[in-house]
Amino acid sequence: NRLRKQNTEMDFSPIIQQVYGALWYLIPLAILAGILKSPWFKGITGEFLVNTAARLFLPKDEYHLIKDVTLPTDGGTTQIDHIIVSRYGVFVIETKNMKGWIFGNPKQRMWTQKLYKHSSKFQNPLHQNYKHVQTLVSVLGLNDDQVHSVIVFVGDSKFKTELPENVTNGLSYVKYIKSKKSPVLTSMQIIKIKDEIEQGRLKPSLETNREHINHVKRISI
């Protein structure tokens, strides 16, 4: 009986090896698929598209891009996807990489994403970005007329309700920024603002990002 059992086990080994040899490539493909669908990767993709559009369509000598800015606050930290500094003001950009239909109202706390038959809620990005704007107003000593909130949706999404002009889709955020034609900052103010942001921001790192995520989780409980 023992010998028969050993022979049976040995007979399965070549079959297992053949199956593994034929399907091993599915393992990295499954891992890659998980990464591509993750919120982290979607966020990185959205930020890359906004960065690229800014560099291509906004003159560097007139619009100064600062990305991935984490600033300390009284209660923890606030993280800003992109800041563009120009004589027309400081543009604070919040990026959303989403698919499907988007329903919202500036006064609503939560907006709705509808993808096929599935609906889900997410925080009103105008409210989310308001905190970023107010942090910069306080840190830089500016007024509300000098700081502009901009929401950028990237991905295959479509607005199904009327939204303010500063809630944009794709490259239209560049058009919104260029629509501001009245100078509100001097050249010296621009230099000072850039320096204060660079000096006041936390060093971009995995640790900084992890601490900010933990802070967001704590205040969400």
Side-chain angles (χ1 to χ4, degrees):
N1 290 337
R2 184 179 302 173
L3 180 60
R4 185 181 302 168
K5 183 177 180 181
Q6 289 177 348
N7 290 337
T8 302
E9 290 177 351
M10 290 179 62
D11 289 341
F12 277 105
S13 297
I15 297 175
I16 294 173
Q17 290 176 0
Q18 288 178 9
V19 171
Y20 178 78
L23 300 179
W24 68 268
Y25 64 91
L26 293 179
I27 297 175
L29 285 178
I31 295 173
L32 179 60
I35 293 174
L36 293 177
K37 292 181 179 179
S38 69
W40 171 81
F41 184 81
K42 289 182 179 179
I44 293 294
T45 303
E47 292 176 15
F48 172 78
L49 293 173
V50 171
N51 290 341
T52 303
R55 297 186 187 282
L56 288 176
F57 303 112
L58 294 173
K60 291 181 182 179
D61 58 340
E62 202 168 355
Y63 297 90
H64 308 277
L65 174 65
I66 309 172
K67 58 184 181 179
D68 190 21
V69 176
T70 303
L71 296 171
T73 63
D74 292 337
T77 57
T78 190
Q79 196 170 67
I80 304 173
D81 294 336
H82 311 86
I83 300 172
I84 294 177
V85 185
S86 76
R87 58 178 176 157
Y88 308 108
V90 178
F91 297 88
V92 184
I93 301 175
E94 173 68 21
T95 307
K96 295 293 181 185
N97 190 344
M98 306 182 76
K99 294 182 178 180
W101 292 350
I102 306 298
F103 299 83
N105 181 292
K107 295 182 179 180
Q108 290 177 326
R109 187 175 68 87
M110 304 296 291
W111 286 8
T112 302
Q113 174 197 30
K114 187 171 184 179
L115 189 60
Y116 302 108
K117 294 183 179 181
H118 178 71
S119 295
S120 58
K121 299 288 185 180
F122 62 99
Q123 184 182 3
N124 181 339
L126 288 169
H127 292 182
Q128 185 178 357
N129 212 32
Y130 176 79
K131 301 173 185 177
H132 301 157
V133 168
Q134 291 306 305
T135 298
L136 280 181
V137 166
S138 175
V139 169
L140 301 175
L142 301 175
N143 59 55
D144 292 337
D145 294 332
Q146 294 172 310
V147 184
H148 308 292
S149 174
V150 186
I151 311 300
V152 184
F153 280 83
V154 299
D156 188 16
S157 59
K158 185 176 182 180
F159 302 147
K160 300 300 287 185
T161 50
E162 187 174 352
L163 294 171
E165 61 175 353
N166 64 325
V167 180
T168 65
N169 197 311
L171 295 179
S172 59
Y173 91 90
V174 174
K175 182 179 178 180
Y176 172 76
I177 290 176
K178 287 186 173 181
S179 72
K180 302 297 181 182
K181 300 183 182 298
S182 299
V184 293
L185 295 171
T186 65
S187 298
M188 291 302 296
Q189 284 177 308
I190 291 172
I191 294 173
K192 182 181 178 183
I193 288 169
K194 289 167 56 183
D195 288 344
E196 289 184 352
I197 291 174
E198 291 294 350
Q199 292 173 11
R201 72 190 297 185
L202 300 178
K203 183 180 178 181
S205 66
L206 291 175
E207 180 63 25
T208 296
N209 192 53
R210 183 162 49 246
E211 290 181 0
H212 174 72
I213 291 173
N214 290 336
H215 167 65
V216 172
K217 288 180 178 178
R218 286 195 299 270
I219 63 178
S220 299
I221 296 176

